[in-house]
Coordinates of all heavy atoms in Angstrom, one line a residue:
M1 N 0.8 -1.2 0.0 CA 0.0 0.0 0.0 C 0.9 1.3 0.0 O 1.7 1.4 0.8 CB -0.9 0.0 1.2 CG -1.9 1.0 1.3 SD -2.9 0.6 2.7 CE -4.2 1.7 2.5
T2 N 0.7 2.1 -0.9 CA 1.5 3.4 -1.1 C 0.9 4.5 -0.2 O -0.3 4.7 -0.3 CB 1.6 3.8 -2.5 OG1 2.1 2.7 -3.3 CG2 2.5 5.0 -2.7
Q3 N 1.7 5.2 0.5 CA 1.3 6.3 1.2 C 1.8 7.6 0.6 O 3.0 7.6 0.2 CB 1.8 6.3 2.7 CG 1.1 5.2 3.5 CD 1.6 5.3 4.9 OE1 2.6 5.9 5.2 NE2 0.9 4.7 5.8
M4 N 1.0 8.6 0.4 CA 1.4 9.9 -0.1 C 1.7 10.9 1.0 O 0.8 10.9 1.9 CB 0.3 10.5 -1.0 CG 0.1 9.7 -2.3 SD -1.2 10.4 -3.3 CE -0.8 12.1 -3.4
C5 N 2.8 11.5 1.1 CA 3.1 12.4 2.2 C 2.9 13.8 1.8 O 3.1 14.2 0.6 CB 4.6 12.3 2.5 SG 4.9 10.7 3.3
T6 N 2.4 14.6 2.7 CA 2.2 16.1 2.5 C 3.3 16.8 3.0 O 4.2 16.3 3.6 CB 0.8 16.5 3.1 OG1 0.9 16.3 4.5 CG2 -0.4 15.8 2.5
D7 N 3.2 18.2 2.9 CA 4.3 19.0 3.3 C 4.8 18.9 4.8 O 5.9 18.9 5.1 CB 3.9 20.5 3.1 CG 5.1 21.4 3.1 OD1 6.1 21.1 2.6 OD2 4.9 22.5 3.7
A8 N 3.9 18.7 5.7 CA 4.2 18.7 7.1 C 4.6 17.3 7.6 O 4.7 17.0 8.8 CB 3.1 19.2 8.0
G9 N 4.7 16.3 6.7 CA 5.1 15.0 7.0 C 3.9 14.0 7.4 O 4.1 13.0 7.9
R10 N 2.7 14.5 7.2 CA 1.6 13.6 7.5 C 1.2 12.8 6.3 O 1.3 13.2 5.2 CB 0.3 14.5 7.8 CG 0.5 15.4 9.0 CD -0.6 16.3 9.1 NE -0.3 17.4 10.0 CZ -1.0 17.7 11.1 NH1 -2.0 17.0 11.4 NH2 -0.7 18.6 11.9
S11 N 0.9 11.6 6.5 CA 0.5 10.7 5.4 C -1.0 10.9 5.1 O -1.8 11.2 6.0 CB 0.8 9.2 5.8 OG 0.0 8.8 6.8
S12 N -1.4 10.6 3.9 CA -2.8 10.6 3.5 C -3.5 9.5 4.1 O -4.7 9.5 4.1 CB -2.9 10.7 2.0 OG -2.4 9.5 1.5
N13 N -2.8 8.4 4.5 CA -3.5 7.3 5.1 C -3.3 7.3 6.6 O -2.6 6.5 7.2 CB -2.8 6.0 4.5 CG -3.5 4.8 5.0 OD1 -4.6 4.8 5.5 ND2 -2.8 3.6 4.8
S14 N -3.8 8.4 7.3 CA -3.6 8.6 8.7 C -4.5 7.7 9.5 O -5.7 7.7 9.4 CB -3.7 10.0 9.1 OG -5.0 10.5 8.7
E15 N -3.9 6.9 10.4 CA -4.6 6.0 11.3 C -4.3 6.4 12.7 O -4.3 5.6 13.6 CB -4.2 4.6 11.0 CG -4.6 4.1 9.7 CD -4.2 2.7 9.3 OE1 -3.6 2.0 10.3 OE2 -4.3 2.3 8.2
G16 N -3.9 7.7 13.0 CA -3.5 8.1 14.3 C -2.4 9.1 14.1 O -2.0 9.5 13.0
P17 N -1.8 9.5 15.2 CA -0.7 10.5 15.2 C 0.5 10.0 14.4 O 0.8 8.8 14.5 CB -0.4 10.8 16.6 CG -1.3 10.0 17.4 CD -2.1 9.1 16.6
T18 N 1.1 10.9 13.6 CA 2.3 10.6 12.9 C 3.5 11.1 13.6 O 3.3 12.0 14.5 CB 2.2 11.1 11.4 OG1 2.2 12.5 11.5 CG2 1.1 10.5 10.7
L19 N 4.6 10.8 13.1 CA 5.9 11.3 13.8 C 5.9 12.8 13.8 O 6.4 13.4 14.8 CB 7.1 10.7 13.0 CG 8.5 11.1 13.5 CD1 8.7 10.6 14.9 CD2 9.5 10.6 12.6
L20 N 5.5 13.5 12.8 CA 5.6 14.9 12.7 C 4.3 15.6 12.9 O 4.2 16.8 12.6 CB 6.2 15.3 11.3 CG 7.6 14.8 11.1 CD1 8.1 15.2 9.6 CD2 8.6 15.3 12.1
S21 N 3.4 15.0 13.6 CA 2.0 15.6 13.7 C 2.1 16.9 14.6 O 1.2 17.7 14.4 CB 1.1 14.6 14.3 OG 1.4 14.2 15.6
G22 N 3.1 17.1 15.5 CA 3.2 18.3 16.3 C 4.0 19.3 15.7 O 4.3 20.3 16.3
W23 N 4.4 19.2 14.4 CA 5.3 20.1 13.8 C 4.7 20.7 12.5 O 3.8 20.1 12.0 CB 6.6 19.4 13.4 CG 7.4 18.8 14.6 CD1 7.1 17.7 15.2 CD2 8.4 19.5 15.3 NE1 8.0 17.5 16.3 CE2 8.8 18.6 16.3 CE3 9.1 20.7 15.1 CZ2 9.8 19.0 17.2 CZ3 10.1 21.0 16.0 CH2 10.5 20.2 17.0
I24 N 5.2 21.9 12.1 CA 4.7 22.5 10.9 C 5.8 23.0 10.1 O 6.8 23.5 10.7 CB 3.7 23.7 11.3 CG1 3.0 24.3 10.1 CG2 4.4 24.7 12.2 CD1 1.9 25.2 10.5
S25 N 5.7 22.9 8.8 CA 6.8 23.4 7.9 C 6.8 24.9 7.8 O 5.8 25.6 8.1 CB 6.6 22.8 6.5 OG 5.4 23.3 5.9
R26 N 7.9 25.5 7.3 CA 8.0 26.9 7.1 C 6.9 27.5 6.2 O 6.2 28.4 6.5 CB 9.4 27.3 6.7 CG 9.5 28.8 6.5 CD 10.9 29.3 6.3 NE 11.6 29.4 7.6 CZ 12.9 29.6 7.7 NH1 13.7 29.5 6.7 NH2 13.4 29.8 8.9
P27 N 6.7 26.8 5.0 CA 5.7 27.3 4.1 C 4.3 27.3 4.7 O 3.5 28.2 4.5 CB 5.8 26.4 2.9 CG 7.1 25.8 2.9 CD 7.5 25.8 4.4
A28 N 4.0 26.2 5.5 CA 2.7 26.1 6.1 C 2.5 27.1 7.2 O 1.4 27.7 7.3 CB 2.5 24.7 6.6
L29 N 3.6 27.4 8.0 CA 3.5 28.4 9.0 C 3.3 29.8 8.4 O 2.5 30.6 8.9 CB 4.7 28.3 9.9 CG 4.7 29.3 11.0 CD1 3.5 29.2 12.0 CD2 6.0 29.3 11.8
A30 N 4.0 30.1 7.4 CA 3.9 31.4 6.7 C 2.4 31.6 6.2 O 1.9 32.7 6.4 CB 4.9 31.5 5.5
L31 N 1.9 30.5 5.7 CA 0.5 30.6 5.2 C -0.5 30.9 6.4 O -1.3 31.7 6.3 CB 0.1 29.3 4.5 CG -1.2 29.3 3.8 CD1 -1.3 30.3 2.7 CD2 -1.5 27.9 3.2
E32 N -0.3 30.2 7.5 CA -1.2 30.4 8.6 C -1.0 31.7 9.3 O -2.0 32.3 9.8 CB -0.9 29.3 9.7 CG -1.5 27.9 9.3 CD -1.6 26.9 10.4 OE1 -1.9 27.4 11.5 OE2 -1.5 25.8 10.2
L33 N 0.2 32.3 9.3 CA 0.4 33.6 10.0 C 0.2 34.7 9.0 O 0.1 35.9 9.4 CB 1.9 33.7 10.4 CG 2.3 32.8 11.6 CD1 3.8 33.0 11.9 CD2 1.5 33.1 12.8
G34 N 0.0 34.4 7.7 CA -0.3 35.5 6.7 C 1.0 36.3 6.4 O 0.9 37.5 6.1
V35 N 2.2 35.7 6.5 CA 3.4 36.4 6.1 C 4.1 35.5 5.1 O 3.7 34.4 4.9 CB 4.3 36.5 7.4 CG1 3.7 37.4 8.4 CG2 4.8 35.2 8.0
C36 N 5.1 36.1 4.4 CA 5.8 35.3 3.4 C 6.9 34.5 4.1 O 7.3 34.8 5.2 CB 6.3 36.2 2.3 SG 7.6 37.4 2.8
E37 N 7.4 33.5 3.4 CA 8.5 32.6 4.0 C 9.8 33.5 4.2 O 10.5 33.3 5.2 CB 8.9 31.5 3.0 CG 7.8 30.5 3.0 CD 8.2 29.4 2.0 OE1 9.2 28.8 2.2 OE2 7.4 29.1 1.1
E38 N 10.0 34.5 3.4 CA 11.2 35.4 3.6 C 11.1 36.1 5.0 O 12.1 36.3 5.6 CB 11.3 36.4 2.5 CG 12.5 37.3 2.6 CD 13.8 36.5 2.6 OE1 13.9 35.4 2.0 OE2 14.8 37.0 3.2
T39 N 9.9 36.5 5.4 CA 9.7 37.1 6.7 C 10.1 36.2 7.8 O 10.8 36.6 8.7 CB 8.2 37.6 6.9 OG1 7.9 38.5 5.9 CG2 8.0 38.1 8.3
L40 N 9.7 34.9 7.7 CA 10.1 33.9 8.7 C 11.6 33.7 8.7 O 12.2 33.6 9.8 CB 9.4 32.6 8.5 CG 7.9 32.6 8.8 CD1 7.3 31.2 8.4 CD2 7.6 32.9 10.2
R41 N 12.3 33.8 7.5 CA 13.7 33.7 7.4 C 14.4 34.9 8.1 O 15.4 34.7 8.9 CB 14.2 33.6 6.0 CG 14.0 32.3 5.4 CD 14.7 32.3 3.9 NE 14.1 31.1 3.2 CZ 13.1 31.2 2.3 NH1 12.6 32.4 2.1 NH2 12.7 30.2 1.7
R42 N 13.9 36.1 7.9 CA 14.5 37.3 8.5 C 14.3 37.2 10.0 O 15.2 37.5 10.8 CB 13.8 38.6 7.9 CG 14.3 38.9 6.6 CD 13.9 40.4 6.2 NE 12.5 40.7 6.5 CZ 11.6 40.5 5.6 NH1 11.9 40.0 4.3 NH2 10.3 40.8 5.8
W43 N 13.1 36.8 10.5 CA 12.9 36.7 11.9 C 13.9 35.7 12.5 O 14.4 35.9 13.6 CB 11.5 36.2 12.2 CG 10.4 37.3 12.0 CD1 10.6 38.6 11.7 CD2 9.0 37.1 12.0 NE1 9.4 39.2 11.5 CE2 8.4 38.3 11.7 CE3 8.2 36.0 12.2 CZ2 7.0 38.5 11.7 CZ3 6.9 36.1 12.2 CH2 6.3 37.4 11.9
A44 N 14.1 34.6 11.8 CA 15.0 33.5 12.3 C 16.5 34.1 12.4 O 17.2 33.9 13.3 CB 15.0 32.3 11.4
D45 N 16.9 34.8 11.3 CA 18.2 35.4 11.3 C 18.4 36.4 12.4 O 19.5 36.5 13.0 CB 18.5 36.1 10.0 CG 18.6 35.1 8.8 OD1 18.8 33.9 9.1 OD2 18.6 35.5 7.7
A46 N 17.3 37.2 12.8 CA 17.4 38.2 13.8 C 17.1 37.6 15.2 O 17.1 38.3 16.1 CB 16.4 39.3 13.5
R47 N 16.8 36.3 15.2 CA 16.4 35.6 16.5 C 15.2 36.2 17.1 O 15.1 36.4 18.3 CB 17.6 35.5 17.5 CG 18.8 34.8 16.9 CD 19.9 34.7 17.9 NE 21.1 34.3 17.3 CZ 21.5 33.0 17.1 NH1 20.6 32.0 17.5 NH2 22.6 32.7 16.6
R48 N 14.2 36.6 16.3 CA 13.0 37.3 16.8 C 11.8 36.3 16.6 O 10.8 36.5 17.2 CB 12.7 38.5 15.9 CG 13.6 39.7 16.2 CD 13.1 40.9 15.4 NE 11.7 40.9 15.1 CZ 11.1 41.6 14.2 NH1 11.9 42.3 13.3 NH2 9.9 41.6 14.0
G49 N 11.9 35.4 15.7 CA 10.7 34.6 15.4 C 10.6 33.4 16.3 O 11.4 33.2 17.3
P50 N 9.6 32.5 16.0 CA 9.5 31.3 16.8 C 10.6 30.3 16.7 O 11.3 30.3 15.6 CB 8.2 30.7 16.3 CG 8.0 31.2 14.9 CD 8.7 32.6 14.9
P51 N 10.9 29.6 17.7 CA 12.0 28.6 17.6 C 11.8 27.5 16.6 O 10.6 27.2 16.3 CB 12.1 28.0 19.0 CG 10.8 28.3 19.6 CD 10.3 29.5 19.0
Y52 N 12.8 27.0 15.9 CA 12.7 26.0 14.9 C 13.8 25.0 14.9 O 14.8 25.2 15.7 CB 12.6 26.7 13.5 CG 13.9 27.4 13.1 CD1 14.9 26.7 12.4 CD2 14.2 28.7 13.5 CE1 16.1 27.3 12.1 CE2 15.3 29.3 13.1 CZ 16.3 28.6 12.4 OH 17.4 29.2 12.1
I53 N 13.6 23.9 14.2 CA 14.7 23.0 14.0 C 15.0 22.8 12.6 O 14.1 23.1 11.7 CB 14.4 21.6 14.7 CG1 13.2 21.0 14.1 CG2 14.3 21.7 16.2 CD1 13.2 19.5 14.2
R54 N 16.1 22.3 12.2 CA 16.5 22.0 10.9 C 16.6 20.5 10.8 O 17.4 19.9 11.5 CB 17.8 22.7 10.5 CG 18.1 22.4 9.0 CD 19.4 23.2 8.7 NE 19.4 24.6 8.9 CZ 18.9 25.5 8.0 NH1 18.5 25.1 6.8 NH2 18.9 26.8 8.3
A55 N 15.8 19.9 9.9 CA 15.9 18.4 9.6 C 16.4 18.3 8.2 O 15.6 18.4 7.3 CB 14.5 17.8 9.8
G56 N 17.6 18.2 8.0 CA 18.2 18.2 6.6 C 18.0 19.6 6.1 O 18.5 20.6 6.7
R57 N 17.4 19.7 5.0 CA 17.1 21.0 4.4 C 15.8 21.6 4.8 O 15.5 22.7 4.5 CB 17.2 21.0 2.8 CG 18.5 20.6 2.3 CD 18.5 20.7 0.8 NE 19.8 20.5 0.3 CZ 20.1 20.5 -1.0 NH1 19.2 20.7 -1.9 NH2 21.3 20.3 -1.4
K58 N 15.0 20.9 5.6 CA 13.7 21.3 5.9 C 13.7 22.0 7.3 O 14.4 21.6 8.2 CB 12.8 20.1 6.0 CG 11.3 20.4 6.1 CD 10.6 19.2 5.6 CE 9.1 19.5 5.5 NZ 8.7 19.9 4.2
I59 N 13.0 23.1 7.4 CA 12.8 23.8 8.6 C 11.4 23.5 9.2 O 10.4 23.6 8.5 CB 12.9 25.4 8.4 CG1 14.2 25.8 7.7 CG2 12.6 26.1 9.7 CD1 15.4 25.6 8.6
L60 N 11.5 23.1 10.5 CA 10.2 22.7 11.1 C 10.0 23.5 12.4 O 11.0 23.7 13.1 CB 10.2 21.2 11.4 CG 10.3 20.2 10.2 CD1 10.5 18.8 10.7 CD2 9.0 20.4 9.4
Y61 N 8.8 23.8 12.7 CA 8.4 24.6 13.9 C 7.5 23.7 14.8 O 6.6 23.1 14.2 CB 7.7 25.8 13.6 CG 8.5 26.8 12.8 CD1 8.6 26.7 11.4 CD2 9.2 27.9 13.4 CE1 9.3 27.6 10.6 CE2 9.9 28.8 12.7 CZ 9.9 28.7 11.3 OH 10.7 29.6 10.6
R62 N 7.8 23.6 16.0 CA 6.9 22.8 16.9 C 5.6 23.7 17.1 O 5.7 24.9 17.5 CB 7.6 22.5 18.2 CG 6.7 21.7 19.2 CD 7.3 21.5 20.6 NE 8.7 21.0 20.5 CZ 9.0 19.7 20.5 NH1 8.1 18.8 20.7 NH2 10.3 19.4 20.5
R63 N 4.5 23.2 16.8 CA 3.2 24.0 16.9 C 3.1 24.6 18.3 O 2.7 25.7 18.5 CB 2.0 23.1 16.6 CG 1.9 22.7 15.2 CD 0.7 21.9 14.9 NE 0.6 21.6 13.5 CZ 0.0 22.4 12.6 NH1 -0.6 23.5 13.0 NH2 -0.1 22.1 11.3
S64 N 3.4 23.8 19.4 CA 3.2 24.4 20.8 C 4.2 25.5 21.0 O 3.8 26.5 21.7 CB 3.4 23.3 21.8 OG 4.7 22.7 21.7
A65 N 5.4 25.5 20.4 CA 6.4 26.6 20.6 C 5.9 27.8 19.8 O 6.1 28.9 20.3 CB 7.7 26.1 20.1
V66 N 5.3 27.6 18.7 CA 4.7 28.8 17.9 C 3.6 29.4 18.7 O 3.6 30.7 18.8 CB 4.3 28.3 16.5 CG1 3.5 29.5 15.8 CG2 5.4 27.8 15.7
L67 N 2.8 28.6 19.3 CA 1.7 29.2 20.1 C 2.3 30.0 21.3 O 1.8 31.1 21.6 CB 0.7 28.1 20.6 CG -0.1 27.5 19.5 CD1 -0.9 26.3 20.1 CD2 -1.1 28.5 18.9
D68 N 3.3 29.4 22.0 CA 3.9 30.1 23.1 C 4.6 31.4 22.6 O 4.4 32.4 23.3 CB 5.0 29.3 23.7 CG 4.5 28.1 24.5 OD1 3.3 28.0 24.7 OD2 5.3 27.1 24.7
W69 N 5.2 31.4 21.4 CA 5.8 32.6 20.9 C 4.8 33.7 20.6 O 5.0 34.8 20.9 CB 6.6 32.2 19.7 CG 7.2 33.4 19.0 CD1 8.4 34.1 19.3 CD2 6.7 34.0 17.8 NE1 8.6 35.1 18.4 CE2 7.6 35.1 17.5 CE3 5.6 33.8 17.0 CZ2 7.4 36.0 16.4 CZ3 5.4 34.7 15.9 CH2 6.3 35.7 15.6
L70 N 3.7 33.3 20.0 CA 2.6 34.2 19.7 C 2.1 34.9 21.0 O 1.8 36.1 21.0 CB 1.5 33.5 19.0 CG 1.7 33.2 17.5 CD1 0.6 32.3 17.0 CD2 1.8 34.4 16.7
E71 N 1.9 34.1 22.1 CA 1.5 34.6 23.3 C 2.5 35.6 23.9 O 2.1 36.7 24.5 CB 1.2 33.5 24.3 CG -0.1 32.8 24.0 CD -0.3 31.6 24.9 OE1 0.4 31.4 25.9 OE2 -1.3 30.9 24.7
E72 N 3.8 35.3 23.7 CA 4.8 36.3 24.2 C 4.7 37.6 23.4 O 4.9 38.7 23.9 CB 6.2 35.7 23.9 CG 6.6 34.6 24.9 CD 7.9 33.9 24.5 OE1 8.6 34.5 23.7 OE2 8.1 32.8 25.0
Q73 N 4.4 37.5 22.1 CA 4.3 38.7 21.2 C 3.2 39.6 21.7 O 3.2 40.8 21.6 CB 4.1 38.3 19.7 CG 5.3 37.5 19.2 CD 6.6 38.0 19.5 OE1 7.0 39.1 19.2 NE2 7.4 37.2 20.3
E74 N 2.1 38.9 22.1 CA 0.9 39.7 22.6 C 1.4 40.6 23.8 O 1.0 41.7 23.9 CB -0.1 38.7 23.0 CG -1.4 39.3 23.5 CD -2.5 38.3 23.9 OE1 -2.1 37.3 24.5 OE2 -3.6 38.6 23.6
G75 N 2.1 40.0 24.8 CA 2.6 40.8 25.9 C 3.6 41.9 25.5 O 3.6 43.0 26.0
L76 N 4.5 41.6 24.5 CA 5.5 42.6 24.1 C 4.8 43.8 23.4 O 5.2 44.9 23.6 CB 6.5 41.9 23.1 CG 7.4 40.9 23.8 CD1 8.3 40.3 22.6 CD2 8.3 41.6 24.7
G77 N 3.8 43.5 22.7 CA 3.1 44.6 22.0 C 2.4 45.6 22.9 O 2.4 46.8 22.7
Q78 N 2.0 45.1 24.1 CA 1.4 46.1 25.1 C 2.5 46.8 25.8 O 2.2 48.0 26.2 CB 0.6 45.2 26.1 CG -0.6 44.6 25.5 CD -1.3 43.6 26.4 OE1 -0.8 43.4 27.5 NE2 -2.4 43.1 25.9
R79 N 3.7 46.3 26.0 CA 4.7 47.0 26.7 C 5.5 48.0 25.8 O 6.0 49.0 26.3 CB 5.7 46.0 27.3 CG 5.2 45.2 28.5 CD 6.2 44.4 29.1 NE 6.8 43.4 28.2 CZ 6.6 42.1 28.4 NH1 6.0 41.7 29.4 NH2 7.2 41.3 27.5
R80 N 5.6 47.7 24.5 CA 6.4 48.6 23.6 C 5.8 50.0 23.5 O 6.6 50.9 23.5 CB 6.5 47.9 22.3 CG 7.5 46.8 22.3 CD 7.7 46.3 20.8 NE 8.4 45.1 20.9 CZ 8.3 44.1 20.0 NH1 7.4 44.2 19.0 NH2 9.0 43.0 20.1
G81 N 4.6 50.1 23.3 CA 3.9 51.4 23.1 C 4.4 52.0 21.7 O 4.9 51.3 20.8
R82 N 4.4 53.3 21.7 CA 4.8 54.0 20.4 C 5.9 55.0 20.7 O 6.0 56.0 20.1 CB 3.6 54.7 19.8 CG 2.6 53.7 19.2 CD 1.5 54.5 18.5 NE 2.1 55.5 17.6 CZ 2.1 55.4 16.2 NH1 1.5 54.3 15.7 NH2 2.6 56.4 15.5
R83 N 6.8 54.6 21.5 CA 8.0 55.5 21.8 C 8.8 55.7 20.6 O 9.2 54.7 19.9 CB 8.9 54.9 22.9 CG 8.2 55.0 24.3 CD 9.1 54.4 25.3 NE 8.9 52.9 25.3 CZ 9.9 52.0 25.5 NH1 11.1 52.4 25.7 NH2 9.6 50.8 25.4
G84 N 9.1 56.9 20.2 CA 10.0 57.2 19.2 C 9.4 57.0 17.8 O 10.1 57.0 16.8
A85 N 8.1 56.9 17.7 CA 7.5 56.7 16.4 C 7.5 57.9 15.5 O 7.4 59.0 16.0 CB 6.1 56.2 16.5
R86 N 7.6 57.7 14.3 CA 7.6 58.9 13.3 C 6.2 59.4 13.1 O 5.2 58.6 13.2 CB 8.2 58.5 12.0 CG 9.6 58.3 12.0 CD 10.1 58.0 10.6 NE 11.6 57.8 10.6 CZ 12.2 57.5 9.6 NH1 11.7 57.5 8.4 NH2 13.5 57.3 9.6
R87 N 6.1 60.7 12.9 CA 4.7 61.2 12.6 C 4.6 61.7 11.2 O 5.5 62.1 10.5 CB 4.5 62.4 13.5 CG 4.4 62.0 14.9 CD 4.2 63.2 15.7 NE 4.3 62.8 17.2 CZ 3.5 63.2 18.1 NH1 2.5 64.0 17.8 NH2 3.6 62.8 19.3

């Protein structure tokens, strides 16, 4: 029986959790966040974005870590304010 794999490592013949079910690829995360992949690359280079791992050439983000990172961003946005903003 042949299994077709999708981007995040899930098989089309899913009979339960797969090895990568708690992970999301960079293209899929970019789509969910509404940003381009290049933005995620820049965030990673600046150490501003969600934590990730490299599996060969593939970049994967743990879904729970992305949710934690998003919650951190919510708190940072309230503390930053608009100091030094241009008018």
Side-chain angles (χ1 to χ4, degrees):
M1 184 171 192
T2 304
Q3 290 183 341
M4 294 177 50
C5 292
T6 60
D7 195 42
R10 300 172 193 238
S11 67
S12 61
N13 184 17
S14 59
E15 296 175 8
T18 63
L19 178 65
L20 297 176
S21 62
W23 297 84
I24 186 169
S25 67
R26 180 172 273 167
L29 180 59
L31 186 63
E32 285 198 34
L33 293 177
V35 299
C36 64
E37 289 180 58
E38 183 58 32
T39 297
L40 290 175
R41 280 189 201 95
R42 282 195 312 272
W43 288 351
D45 291 345
R47 300 184 192 275
R48 287 184 29 202
Y52 65 92
I53 62 155
R54 184 180 300 274
R57 292 184 177 185
K58 192 153 185 102
I59 301 293
L60 297 170
Y61 297 84
R62 186 185 307 267
R63 288 180 177 274
S64 59
V66 172
L67 291 172
D68 291 343
W69 176 80
L70 285 170
E71 288 177 2
E72 289 172 16
Q73 301 314 298
E74 182 179 40
L76 289 175
Q78 294 171 355
R79 287 190 296 248
R80 282 187 191 147
R82 291 187 47 110
R83 287 180 277 143
R86 291 183 178 183
R87 294 181 187 224

